[in-house]
Amino acid sequence: MNDFEKIFNEMGIDRALLPILFRSNRSTVHKYLSGESLAPASAMSLILLLQLLQKRSPELFAEWLTLSDFTIPPEIYLNQPDYWKGWKFTEHKVNKAVLQYLKDNVEKK
């Protein structure tokens, strides 16, 4: 098991979420997970940051996941902290894995 995969496994999230969180190509991210391709320092930094975010601020992690799923540009969401909460009104457009994560981790609160 490589370091990238180890951190991912510690996060306990669905594999389908990682490319969304990275706003990256699915095959590239899965090559990092499998060890087929060595994760660059930037990818290691990002997964460590995501892990920290998930543990320290689950709501902010869910916010980033939602904004990434909808590929919302920063000029829209930076001045509107609650913008991401609109996912509840557009569930039909949310990625299935993202929707499940939000329902399991955000709606409970």
Side-chain angles (χ1 to χ4, degrees), residues 1-99:
M1 180 180 307
N2 64 55
D3 289 341
F4 188 89
E5 182 184 16
K6 181 179 176 278
I7 295 164
F8 168 76
N9 288 336
E10 289 171 2
M11 292 175 73
I13 59 174
D14 188 300
R15 285 177 75 99
L17 296 179
L18 203 52
I20 294 167
L21 287 162
F22 268 59
R23 289 192 177 194
S24 182
N25 181 295
R26 185 176 67 224
S27 65
T28 300
V29 173
H30 289 284
K31 285 179 184 177
Y32 299 159
L33 284 172
S34 70
E36 184 180 333
S37 178
L38 187 61
S42 58
M44 287 302 300
S45 293
L46 181 55
I47 198 163
L48 285 166
L49 178 61
L50 289 169
Q51 182 186 42
L52 176 69
L53 199 60
Q54 181 192 31
K55 300 226 181 287
R56 295 274 177 91
S57 181
E59 185 174 86
L60 193 54
F61 181 81
E63 180 177 346
W64 177 250
L65 179 59
T66 305
L67 295 171
S68 293
D69 184 30
F70 288 128
T71 59
I72 306 296
E75 59 270 15
I76 293 175
Y77 66 77
L78 284 176
N79 293 324
Q80 301 178 60
D82 289 334
Y83 186 86
W84 73 280
K85 294 178 181 176
W87 70 268
K88 293 181 180 184
F89 305 107
T90 56
E91 286 188 24
H92 62 287
K93 293 183 179 182
V94 180
N95 175 290
K96 188 172 104 175
V98 172
L99 183 60

